Amino acid sequence: AQSVAQPEDQVNVAEGNPLTVKCTYSVSGNPYLFWYVQYPNRGLQFLLKYITGDNLVKGSYGFEAEFNKSQTSFHLKKPSALVSDSALYFCAVRDRDTGRRALTFGSGTRLQVQP
Amino acid sequence: DAGVIQSPRHEVTEMGQEVTLRCKPISGHNSLFWYRQTMMRGLELLIYFNNNVPIDDSGMPEDRFSAKMPNASFSTLKIQPSEPRDSAVYFCASSITGQRQETQYFGPGTRLLVL
């Protein structure tokens, strides 16, 4: 079985400050890891993914995420937050050693960036 | 380049009525996924197709739900009869199976309200 935990329901940060949205995962094999962002009344937009290789993954809109195998974490980061980054963020995992292609999502973290 | 297209965007119906949700995946994608998003359960997979064939329908709640993919460019999710607990946002996503970078791209969703 695979699972994702996003321990924070909401993260508040001031504009211009760095932000981190936490994610830990559990899979029996090796993970594919994804971050998606959802704006109000919109679908999920792909931000970035970890497949293999470098532990630091760079994605859209200046976001990056760091894969840490020992801590089974894949935290989303951005050096300088923008008000427009305020949205709902989802971490997702898929076990690349099984044939199951469905993603398992975390519960989501609402990011609020204050001006 | 058109993304995943879903229709209708909003649906309000009465309990007992049949509801049909539609999805057009991204051209060239050969996997299609239906997810449901609710406050209580978050994002969960209902069913996914590969090359128009249902591969995993373990997430389909019960016999009232059915999904079809008659060709590579169209899928439907049908609920008959609908119940108030089916109220949710239903997302369709598509991807290219077989590529290492198997990113799922989501449609805007259908917001269903069953009265």
Side-chain angles (χ1 to χ4, degrees), chain A residues 59-94:
Chain A
S60 306
Y61 312 119
F63 284 94
E64 58 190 27
E66 186 167 11
F67 171 66
N68 187 316
K69 187 172 184 177
S70 63
Q71 296 184 3
T72 62
S73 67
F74 189 57
H75 301 331
L76 181 70
K77 300 181 180 184
K78 188 174 182 181
S80 179
L82 300 172
V83 173
S84 57
D85 293 330
S86 298
L88 189 56
Y89 290 80
F90 290 96
C91 181
V93 69
R94 178 166 80 81

Side-chain angles (χ1 to χ4, degrees), chain A residues 10-11 13-14 16 19-21 24-25 28 37 50 57 71 82-84 92 97 100-101 107 111-112 115:
Chain A
Q10 181 156 325
V11 170
V13 64
L19 69 88
T20 299
V21 182
T24 59
Y25 67 90
S28 54
V37 59
Y50 170 82
V57 178
Q71 296 184 3
L82 300 172
V83 173
S84 57
D97 297 330
R100 192 168 191 268
R101 291 187 166 80
S107 55
L111 174 66
Q112 192 69 40

Side-chain angles (χ1 to χ4, degrees), chain A residues 38 42-44, chain B residues 6 23 33-37 43 46 89-93 106-110:
Chain A
Q38 185 178 27
R42 302 283 294 277
L44 278 72
Chain B
Q6 292 186 247
C23 175
F33 305 79
W34 283 101
Y35 290 90
R36 179 171 66 176
Q37 184 180 35
L43 269 160
L46 297 176
V89 182
Y90 292 81
F91 288 106
C92 177
F106 283 73
T110 295

Side-chain angles (χ1 to χ4, degrees), chain B residues 6-114:
Chain B
Q6 292 186 247
S7 65
R9 292 293 308 276
H10 302 273
E11 178 80 29
V12 180
T13 191
E14 292 186 346
M15 183 175 64
Q17 297 299 305
E18 178 180 296
V19 175
T20 299
L21 311 182
R22 297 173 176 80
C23 175
K24 177 178 170 56
I26 293 171
S27 177
H29 284 195
N30 62 348
S31 285
L32 184 140
F33 305 79
W34 283 101
Y35 290 90
R36 179 171 66 176
Q37 184 180 35
T38 61
M39 290 294 292
M40 292 298 295
R41 299 174 66 91
L43 269 160
E44 52 183 351
L45 177 78
L46 297 176
I47 185 171
Y48 81 87
F49 296 84
N50 188 42
N51 294 324
N52 312 338
V53 176
I55 301 299
D56 182 352
D57 64 354
S58 59
M60 294 287 264
E62 50 199 87
D63 291 345
R64 297 185 298 105
F65 284 68
S66 63
K68 294 182 179 179
M69 192 163 186
N71 58 61
S73 59
F74 184 65
S75 176
T76 59
L77 177 67
K78 186 176 293 186
I79 309 172
Q80 167 63 19
S82 58
E83 296 182 2
R85 61 190 167 124
D86 302 330
S87 299
V89 182
Y90 292 81
F91 288 106
C92 177
S94 70
S95 69
I96 301 176
T97 302
Q99 289 188 350
R100 288 182 78 214
Q101 299 180 18
E102 198 175 311
T103 301
Q104 292 181 25
Y105 294 92
F106 283 73
T110 295
R111 187 173 296 272
L112 173 65
L113 178 62
V114 183

